[in-house]
Amino acid sequence: MYFAALLARTEDGWEASDTELDDVETLSDLADLAREASPDEDTVLVLIEQEDSWFGVVRVDGEDDPRIYVSDAAAARRSAYGELLLTDELLGREPGADDGPDLDALDLDGTEDGESEDDEEEGAAADAVPHSPVGDSEILDDLGISEKELRALDADDALNTIAEALGASEVLETVR
């Protein structure tokens, strides 16, 4: 079960809106969705969580590139929304690196001939994603949540804790 919400900072405080991510295919799509929530180019936070497994925060400030924090990269990698956030840059990979197998090199006759244990180990290493936070852990510093506090949050209550620190818990609760 997923929950995603947009928190847009306005002159009057924070405004929350429930958001569907079904039509969002890329991080750019997500950033555009966030920008639409704030016509004045104020700060918008996209908060995403999956059933006590992981949470993510995407921060969009006007036309700046989105800043991302994911609490557990390996857990997020197993979900469609998490994969949306786990860019090559965020994972420290070479942008555009091919994650998939070389289809020309595969033996597709139904046997496993041609595959070596070394190939399997290389593939596993390439797909390895840390069971730890990734991204900009200072993403909320200027909003009152330090890096240390963000890293200490449990996925089961992180979004509520973030909203409370921002003074936005009531507006977030209305869209839950």
Side-chain angles (χ1 to χ4, degrees):
M1 184 76 170
Y2 295 96
F3 173 74
L6 296 173
L7 282 180
R9 185 165 51 178
T10 67
E11 291 177 4
D12 301 325
W14 292 92
E15 291 181 6
S17 57
D18 188 10
T19 187
E20 278 294 321
L21 299 179
D22 294 339
D23 295 331
V24 175
E25 296 179 8
T26 65
L27 182 58
S28 293
D29 293 344
L30 185 61
D32 290 343
L33 181 69
R35 287 183 186 104
E36 289 171 13
S38 178
D40 296 331
E41 296 190 3
D42 289 324
T43 298
V44 178
L45 301 176
V46 181
L47 305 175
I48 303 171
E49 71 180 359
Q50 180 189 6
E51 293 182 345
D52 305 339
S53 178
W54 66 275
F55 71 93
V57 178
V58 178
R59 179 177 178 160
V60 178
D61 294 300
E63 291 299 317
D64 292 347
D65 288 340
R67 295 167 58 193
I68 305 165
Y69 176 82
V70 176
S71 66
D72 183 334
R77 176 76 185 260
R78 293 187 296 269
S79 79
Y81 299 133
E83 283 214 345
L84 181 74
L85 304 179
L86 297 174
T87 63
D88 287 337
E89 182 181 345
L90 194 71
L91 295 173
R93 295 182 182 158
E94 187 68 34
D98 186 13
D99 293 328
D102 179 2
L103 296 180
D104 294 331
L106 290 178
D107 182 9
L108 300 176
D109 67 357
T111 67
E112 293 185 22
D113 295 339
E115 289 184 15
S116 71
E117 288 182 24
D118 291 341
D119 292 341
E120 290 174 17
E121 288 174 16
E122 281 181 29
D127 289 338
V129 175
H131 279 283
S132 62
V134 295
D136 184 352
S137 55
E138 297 176 355
I139 192 170
L140 301 173
D141 269 1
D142 65 324
L143 299 174
I145 301 171
S146 71
E147 176 180 0
K148 183 178 178 181
E149 291 168 322
L150 184 62
R151 288 181 171 269
L153 293 176
D154 288 327
D156 63 339
D157 196 40
L159 300 191
N160 291 332
T161 303
I162 291 169
E164 188 175 311
L166 299 174
S169 56
E170 288 182 23
V171 293
L172 183 65
E173 194 58 38
T174 62
V175 297
R176 264 205 190 265

